[in-house]
Amino acid sequence: RQKLEEHGSSAYLVNSGWSGGPYGVGDRMSIKTTRSCINAILNGSIKEAEFSIDPTFGFEVPKVLDGVDSQVLDPRSTWLNESEFDETAQKLATMYSKNFEKYLGKGSINYAQYGPKLSDLDETR
């Protein structure tokens, strides 16, 4: 984050995968939707968007982007069973957190502090 701020840079994560459910249930993000997200990044209009914070992963998610169905920007709302989404998000967060554990004590920065926030793992960060 410090380097991004120091150099006036931004980084974006674009979901070009699945929405509406896990693989085989949901739908692949359309190229049109993905391109609209990339266009908002490239033309700078994303910087004018209002954002919410993902409660598990902590990144900012735009609420509205030109040419993008706002429901897709809130992946939880695209799943028929939102509790199934929550379970899947927690499973993914746990996988990331366990992966970060392999790197604890290596190098000068504890990158685990930037990973997903799980209540039972937070005290180890």
Side-chain angles (χ1 to χ4, degrees):
R1 177 166 277 189
Q2 179 185 354
K3 290 285 187 186
L4 290 172
E5 291 171 2
E6 179 181 332
H7 297 285
S9 300
S10 300
Y12 297 94
L13 176 65
V14 178
N15 179 5
S16 60
W18 293 91
S19 180
Y23 175 78
V25 175
D27 296 312
R28 182 122 184 132
M29 295 293 268
S30 73
I31 291 175
K32 180 181 177 188
T33 296
T34 301
R35 174 50 51 197
S36 293
C37 292
I38 299 299
N39 285 342
I41 293 166
L42 294 176
N43 69 27
S45 64
I46 196 168
K47 292 180 180 179
E48 306 304 318
E50 181 181 347
F51 289 83
S52 60
I53 303 294
D54 181 275
T56 302
F57 294 95
F59 46 70
E60 297 176 340
V61 181
K63 291 183 177 184
V64 176
L65 289 177
D66 190 36
V68 179
D69 178 354
S70 294
Q71 186 176 15
V72 172
L73 296 171
D74 176 17
R76 186 175 190 265
S77 72
T78 66
W79 285 48
L80 292 175
N81 183 337
E82 290 183 351
S83 64
E84 187 178 331
F85 172 88
D86 295 337
E87 290 171 22
T88 303
Q90 287 299 301
K91 180 180 176 185
L92 180 61
T94 299
M95 290 167 54
Y96 271 102
S97 293
K98 286 182 191 256
N99 186 58
F100 277 123
E101 289 174 8
K102 293 189 291 189
Y103 304 100
L104 288 174
K106 297 179 182 178
S108 60
I109 297 174
N110 174 8
Y111 289 102
Q113 66 184 318
Y114 304 111
K117 305 298 181 213
L118 299 172
S119 59
D120 58 332
L121 296 176
D122 282 345
E123 61 258 359
T124 63
R125 293 191 185 153

